[in-house]
């Protein structure tokens, strides 16, 4: 079955497979949202079923919670877990300082809460998500529905004073209607093209009334695991200033490929 995977899916899989090596018995683990994180959840489920791994998973979205339960992971809330040993999640972009843009899956609020409540955040990614400067991927900003157009206008006004290349914004839609997050909020996507100072942009955005949270993750990620389509995987650790490489073999009997719908 693994032979049917595209190179991009192979890259996501090997990154996820390598990242779950950080998970130990008894850990409380934050479970990210998105296509790459779905591979990770499947890998953890396989470890639970076949190796007897015992963990408690805190999902970052309703769809991750459903997948985790389906594969046999014990799902608890963050309030039940209180603090996490590790969070593994994907990213829409990451730079050389491990700053991230997240929120392409509209789960940025729960993702940021869970990540900051963890001793360690490991990001899993394929190499296409690596950039010199953040901003090519639209920056998601979660806003409350009340007065969202006013909030959007305030965001646009704020962008005039920041080091960004583009200033176009758009309300994220779900078909013909505005998208709602798990918390019942909207997402405004900022098409900035280049973000010169991610920390400044993140701080200023969160001062605007109506903004709940933004998709810039600054000083949160500790480790990035980058997968390649040929099975290579690179682990970069910002705390140890270390880079290591490995190659993972694909096993044709991997049953976690059989029903992965993400």
């Amino acid at each position: 079955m693994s032979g049917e995977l595209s190179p991009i899916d192979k890259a996501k899989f090997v990154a996820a497979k390598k990242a779950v090596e950080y998970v130990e018995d008894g850990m409380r683990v934050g479970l990210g949202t998105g296509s790459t994180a779905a591979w990770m959840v499947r890998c953890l489920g396989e470890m639970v079923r076949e190796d007897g791994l015992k963990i408690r998973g805190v999902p970052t979205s309703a769809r991750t919670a459903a997948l985790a339960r389906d594969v046999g992971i014990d799902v608890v809330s963050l309030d039940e877990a209180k603090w996490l040993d590790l969070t593994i999640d994907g990213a829409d972009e990451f730079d050389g300082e491990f700053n991230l843009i997240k929120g392409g899956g509209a789960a940025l609020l729960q993702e940021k809460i869970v990540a900051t409540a963890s001793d360690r955040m490991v990001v899993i990614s394929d190499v296409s998500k690596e950039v010199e400067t953040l901003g090519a991927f639209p920056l998601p900003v979660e806003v409350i529905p009340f007065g969202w157009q006013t909030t959007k206008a305030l965001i646009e006004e704020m962008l005039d004073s920041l080091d960004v290349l583009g200033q176009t914004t758009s309300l994220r839609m779900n078909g013909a209607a505005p998208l709602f997050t798990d918390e019942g909020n909207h997402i405004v996507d900022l098409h900035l093209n280049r973000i010169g100072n991610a920390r400044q942009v993140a701080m200023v955005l969160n001062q605007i009334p109506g903004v709940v949270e933004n998709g810039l993750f600054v000083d949160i990620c500790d480790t990035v695991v980058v997968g390649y389509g040929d099975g290579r995987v690179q682990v970069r650790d910002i705390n140890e200033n270390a880079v290591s490489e490995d190659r993972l073999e694909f096993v044709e009997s991997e049953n976690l490929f059989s029903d992965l719908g993400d």
Side-chain angles (χ1 to χ4, degrees), residues 192-206:
L192 307 179
N193 301 319
R194 182 187 60 81
I195 300 173
N197 188 330
R199 180 176 283 100
Q200 179 190 39
V201 172
M203 291 178 62
V204 172
L205 279 172
N206 281 7

Side-chain angles (χ1 to χ4, degrees), residues 29-34 37-38 40-42 57-78 107 110 182 262:
V29 182
L31 307 175
T33 294
M40 174 269 300
V41 174
R42 291 283 175 151
V58 175
T60 55
S61 67
R63 58 189 180 278
T64 294
L67 176 59
R69 291 189 180 98
D70 285 347
V71 299
I73 296 173
D74 181 18
V75 172
V76 299
S77 70
L78 183 57
Q110 289 190 27
D182 283 355
D262 198 331

Side-chain angles (χ1 to χ4, degrees), residues 47-258:
M47 293 167 67
V48 168
R49 296 189 306 272
E50 299 187 6
D51 303 330
L53 178 72
K54 291 181 172 57
I55 60 171
R56 287 185 291 168
V58 175
T60 55
S61 67
R63 58 189 180 278
T64 294
L67 176 59
R69 291 189 180 98
D70 285 347
V71 299
I73 296 173
D74 181 18
V75 172
V76 299
S77 70
L78 183 57
D79 287 335
E80 290 174 289
K82 302 189 186 304
W83 193 259
L84 305 179
D85 300 288
L86 173 70
T87 286
I88 305 176
D89 203 348
D92 298 301
E93 284 186 347
F94 70 93
D95 66 15
E97 296 180 351
F98 293 14
N99 297 315
L100 319 172
I101 287 182
K102 289 181 52 56
L108 65 98
L109 178 57
Q110 289 190 27
E111 287 173 333
K112 189 173 283 190
I113 292 171
V114 168
T116 54
S118 305
D119 288 335
R120 183 176 196 172
M121 182 189 190
V122 175
V123 164
I124 47 178
S125 176
D126 62 87
V127 71
S128 71
K129 305 297 177 61
E130 182 175 10
V131 297
E132 287 191 16
T133 305
L134 298 178
F137 191 90
L139 174 63
V141 179
E142 187 158 343
V143 303
I144 66 170
F146 175 80
W148 71 264
Q149 294 185 61
T150 299
T151 303
K152 181 173 175 286
L154 289 171
I155 292 172
E156 292 168 348
E157 182 180 346
M158 174 273 298
L159 292 176
D160 285 334
S161 63
L162 295 176
D163 183 11
V164 297
L165 190 59
Q167 299 182 10
T168 304
T169 67
S170 60
L171 180 70
R172 192 179 300 183
M173 305 295 288
N174 181 17
L179 178 144
F180 283 91
T181 68
D182 283 355
E183 290 76 32
N185 298 317
H186 292 327
I187 297 285
V188 174
D189 288 312
L190 313 186
H191 306 272
L192 307 179
N193 301 319
R194 182 187 60 81
I195 300 173
N197 188 330
R199 180 176 283 100
Q200 179 190 39
V201 172
M203 291 178 62
V204 172
L205 279 172
N206 281 7
Q207 298 301 312
I208 297 174
V211 170
V212 180
E213 189 53 83
N214 69 84
L216 285 167
F217 284 51
V218 179
D219 297 331
I220 297 176
C221 174
D222 300 284
T223 304
V224 175
V225 181
V226 183
Y228 295 82
D230 61 0
R232 287 180 298 127
V233 62
Q234 188 177 77
V235 179
R236 309 175 191 178
D237 190 295
I238 198 168
N239 298 314
E240 298 179 4
N241 192 28
V243 178
S244 62
E245 292 192 5
D246 196 2
R247 183 182 292 273
L248 302 185
E249 298 298 327
F250 292 94
V251 180
E252 293 297 329
S253 61
E254 290 281 6
N255 58 23
L256 55 85
F257 295 139
S258 60

